[in-house]
């Protein structure tokens, strides 16, 4: 299943500037693994050994995956994933 | 009674936010209020593209002096109380307790988490606004949170994180972030709670503004009912690390 992932500005250096990329997978974890195969280093920016990093949020549609099944959240056709990192500039 | 807004940071976000607040005051579209403005920097020419409150004549002068002048030009009668310094663990509680709402327009993670924690501890609403490159994030948290900034971002990033100095920032994106933060602040001053419980993200390259629900996390260290170790005081060590360097 192909999913569109919105890439926030701080991570676009890893996606050659792309602000949206396609990835395949039945779960969020699968999609991240697919992203890692295409854009090495991105998984480490999103996850640590415990799961999604504390200063990163991943939304499937409008839902934060922390309130779903976390990285095991299953995806449906048409789902879009958004990554919202903590940023500090002003 | 005149309400008080603590504007923390008079930079790329604080500057447009102050403009919006001043215009709202001047046009009488909100209850009377005054601004307590905190900053410790001077106006630099290289920042004028996003610090739109200032002009060439302000370069080299204290930002707070320039802010007081600029606000007075636009909103005579709007009192601005300058606080020359940053939000620090030993000053934050007193600063925040003395106001009705906080507008966090800071430029580093330490101040951002410190503001969130201080506001929650003394029971004040806070609006957070941040911007890097083409991306901005804005959210408002009610007094007591549920949800709050730490419900979304649990803790400070480990290691260096991009900021305006290292990653750059696009002036108009700061403008959107500052204007939106000011609008949410004005809602709070009016007693309108509709801005709580959402996180706004703006992508300047796509000109796309999104709003998604922000949920309270039961285990949030700041406002969660099931937190194992609630944050009830400001400990300086909590706000240190690579990501806190300005």
């Amino acid at each position: 299943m192909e999913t569109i992932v919105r890439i926030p500005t701080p991570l676009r250096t890893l996606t050659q500037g792309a602000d949206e990329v396609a990835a395949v997978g039945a779960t969020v974890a699968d999609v991240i693994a697919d992203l890692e195969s295409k854009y090495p280093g991105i998984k480490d920016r999103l996850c640590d050994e415990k799961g999604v990093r504390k200063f990163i949020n991943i939304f499937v549609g409008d839902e934060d995956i922390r309130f779903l099944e976390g990285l095991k959240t299953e995806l449906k056709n048409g789902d879009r994933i958004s990554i919202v990192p903590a940023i500090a500039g002003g | 009674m005149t309400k008080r807004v603590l504007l923390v940071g008079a930079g790329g976000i604080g500057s447009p936010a102050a403009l919006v607040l001043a215009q709202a005051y001047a046009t009488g579209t909100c209850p009377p209020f005054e601004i307590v403005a905190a900053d410790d920097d001077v106006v630099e020419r290289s920042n004028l593209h996003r610090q739109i409150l200032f002009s060439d004549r302000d370069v080299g002068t204290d930002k707070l002096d320039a802010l007081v002048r600029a606000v007075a030009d636009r909103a005579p009668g709007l009192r601005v109380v300058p606080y020359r310094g940053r939000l620090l663990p030993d000053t934050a509680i007193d600063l925040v307790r003395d106001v009705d709402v906080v507008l966090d327009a800071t430029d580093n993670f330490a101040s951002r988490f410190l503001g969130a924690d201080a506001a929650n501890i003394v029971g004040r609403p806070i609006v957070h606004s941040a911007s890097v490159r083409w991306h901005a994030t804005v959210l408002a948290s009610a007094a007591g949170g549920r949800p709050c900034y730490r419900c979304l971002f649990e803790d400070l990033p480990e290691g260096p994180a991009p900021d305006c100095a290292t990653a750059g920032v696009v002036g108009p994106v700061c403008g959107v972030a500052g204007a939106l933060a000011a609008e949410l602040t004005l809602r709070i001053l009016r007693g309108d709670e509709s801005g709580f419980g959402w996180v706004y993200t703006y992508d300047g390259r796509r000109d796309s503004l999104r709003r998604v629900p922000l949920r309270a996390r039961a285990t949030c260290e700041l406002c969660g009912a099931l937190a194992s170790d609630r944050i009830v005081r400001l400990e300086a060590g909590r706000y240190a690390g690579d990501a806190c360097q300005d």
Side-chain angles (χ1 to χ4, degrees):
Chain A
M1 186 184 317
E2 187 172 271
T3 302
I4 299 298
V5 184
R6 293 175 194 235
I7 305 295
T9 305
L11 298 183
R12 288 180 195 161
T13 51
L14 296 168
T15 60
Q16 288 83 53
D19 53 8
E20 282 191 354
V21 298
V24 295
T27 66
V28 173
D30 294 343
V31 164
I32 291 174
D34 189 46
L35 287 177
E36 175 67 16
S37 71
K38 296 170 179 166
Y39 311 107
I42 197 166
K43 182 178 179 182
D44 186 55
R45 300 284 294 274
L46 301 177
C47 304
D48 58 20
E49 65 281 1
K50 295 176 185 167
V52 179
R53 290 184 180 276
K54 288 183 173 182
F55 50 89
I56 295 282
N57 284 271
I58 298 177
F59 289 80
V60 174
D62 284 352
E63 287 293 328
D64 186 335
I65 64 168
R66 284 188 190 136
F67 297 96
L68 299 173
E69 299 297 323
L71 291 170
K72 294 177 184 170
T73 300
E74 295 184 356
L75 300 170
K76 303 186 301 292
N77 266 331
D79 277 342
R80 294 171 76 89
I81 292 178
S82 305
I83 300 166
V84 178
I87 55 174
Chain B
M1 185 178 167
T2 301
K3 301 213 170 184
R4 306 187 96 201
V5 177
L6 174 60
L7 175 64
V8 190
I13 289 174
S15 181
L19 269 179
V20 173
L21 293 175
Q23 289 303 123
Y25 183 94
T27 54
T29 54
C30 61
F33 68 92
E34 59 188 36
I35 297 173
V36 180
D39 203 294
D40 67 348
D41 215 343
V42 297
V43 178
E44 296 179 37
R45 190 176 305 281
S46 62
N47 294 336
L48 289 181
H49 72 291
R50 65 181 189 275
Q51 295 178 7
I52 56 176
L53 196 60
F54 310 130
S55 64
D56 274 346
R57 70 171 182 169
D58 299 314
V59 171
T61 63
D62 189 296
K63 269 190 199 168
L64 290 181
D65 292 338
L67 184 144
V68 168
R69 270 201 308 269
V71 168
D73 285 346
R74 290 164 175 83
L78 172 52
R79 182 170 180 243
V80 179
V81 181
Y83 177 84
R84 293 173 207 288
R86 293 187 167 224
L87 212 56
L88 297 171
D90 57 350
T91 59
I93 292 287
D94 287 342
L95 264 175
V96 172
R97 184 183 280 131
D98 202 32
V99 301
D100 297 282
V101 55
V102 181
L103 197 166
D104 162 23
T106 56
D107 59 2
N108 66 90
F109 282 109
S111 299
R112 207 166 281 288
F113 278 88
L114 180 60
D117 295 351
N120 190 272
I121 288 169
V122 301
R124 297 290 184 274
I126 181 167
V127 180
H128 301 277
S129 185
S131 177
V132 165
R133 293 185 190 148
W134 295 91
H135 186 84
T137 306
V138 182
L139 67 95
S141 173
R146 301 189 183 185
C148 75
Y149 188 73
R150 281 189 186 267
C151 288
L152 184 66
F153 303 119
E154 296 179 43
D155 210 345
L156 283 76
E158 303 107 2
D163 61 18
C164 296
T166 58
V169 64
V170 179
V173 175
C174 281
V176 172
L180 183 52
E183 163 56 17
L184 291 171
T185 301
L186 291 167
R187 283 193 216 178
I188 293 169
L189 289 175
R190 295 185 191 111
D192 175 352
E193 300 185 350
S194 63
F196 299 134
W198 301 94
V199 55
Y200 297 81
T201 58
Y202 180 69
D203 183 338
R205 286 179 78 180
R206 287 183 165 264
D207 194 23
S208 162
L209 179 64
R210 275 187 93 222
R211 185 181 81 157
V212 295
L214 173 60
R215 295 210 194 166
R217 221 167 22 85
T219 55
C220 173
E221 283 185 295
L222 194 55
C223 71
L226 302 180
S228 54
D229 189 15
R230 285 280 293 272
I231 297 170
V232 293
R233 67 183 67 83
L234 303 179
E235 295 166 0
R238 194 184 288 279
Y239 312 100
D242 288 346
C244 304
Q245 302 306 309
D246 177 23

